[in-house]
Amino acid sequence: MSSPNAGGFVELTIDGVRYSISGELEIEETNFEAEAQVNQDGTVSRTQKPKPYKFSLSIRDRQGPSIQRLLYRDDTLIDVSAIEKQMKRGVLLTGAFATGTPKRNTANGEISGIEIVSDQMRFIS
């Protein structure tokens, strides 16, 4: 039987340090994208191409070490987990790195535009 729960609390951990998510966490759980193609005779087909697993998120700046410097160092591969408390499941990206263009809002402390990508993902409990 499936759970009636959706949403709820999310615990984000980057290399063992917990961070507060300020907005939604979007998780791309597939490492491919598919697109419909229409052939010249009107029939349809599908093409697929690989892509990384991805977390898209915004976090709250707590006046600690610069999260941008932590995530965007050239030599850093990180492990990132997101535990969905009410859903009783989690997702782990290992050997990940950050992409995107982070922006820090000085009025509310939100750092947005962060993406974490990896070619390795697994579900954890």
Side-chain angles (χ1 to χ4, degrees):
M1 178 182 220
S2 64
S3 170
N5 296 330
F9 295 102
V10 176
E11 292 179 356
L12 179 75
T13 304
I14 301 172
D15 276 346
V17 178
R18 256 171 97 188
Y19 290 90
S20 296
I21 300 174
S22 59
E24 295 177 354
L25 170 66
E26 294 181 342
I27 302 172
E28 294 184 25
E29 297 177 346
T30 60
N31 62 346
F32 66 90
E33 57 186 46
E35 185 176 320
Q37 302 290 318
V38 179
N39 301 313
Q40 289 301 99
D41 63 358
T43 60
V44 294
S45 60
R46 176 176 58 191
T47 60
Q48 293 180 322
K49 64 181 181 179
K51 69 173 199 60
Y53 299 105
K54 182 176 10 178
F55 289 175
S56 298
L57 60 124
S58 298
I59 61 172
R60 187 76 60 206
D61 184 1
R62 298 287 189 197
Q63 295 181 327
S66 168
I67 187 68
Q68 293 97 322
R69 289 189 185 138
L70 171 70
L71 292 178
Y72 290 87
R73 293 184 307 199
D74 291 336
D75 62 343
T76 302
L77 292 179
I78 55 177
D79 295 333
V80 182
S81 66
I83 307 297
E84 300 169 82
K85 300 299 276 185
Q86 279 69 22
M87 300 296 289
K88 297 183 171 120
R89 69 176 175 202
V91 178
L92 173 65
L93 297 182
T94 56
F97 57 89
T99 62
T101 305
K103 300 172 196 79
R104 184 171 54 89
N105 182 319
T106 60
N108 65 14
E110 181 178 273
I111 301 171
S112 62
I114 298 172
E115 296 176 340
I116 309 293
V117 298
S118 178
D119 60 357
Q120 303 171 63
M121 185 206 80
R122 66 182 172 103
F123 291 99
I124 54 177
S125 52

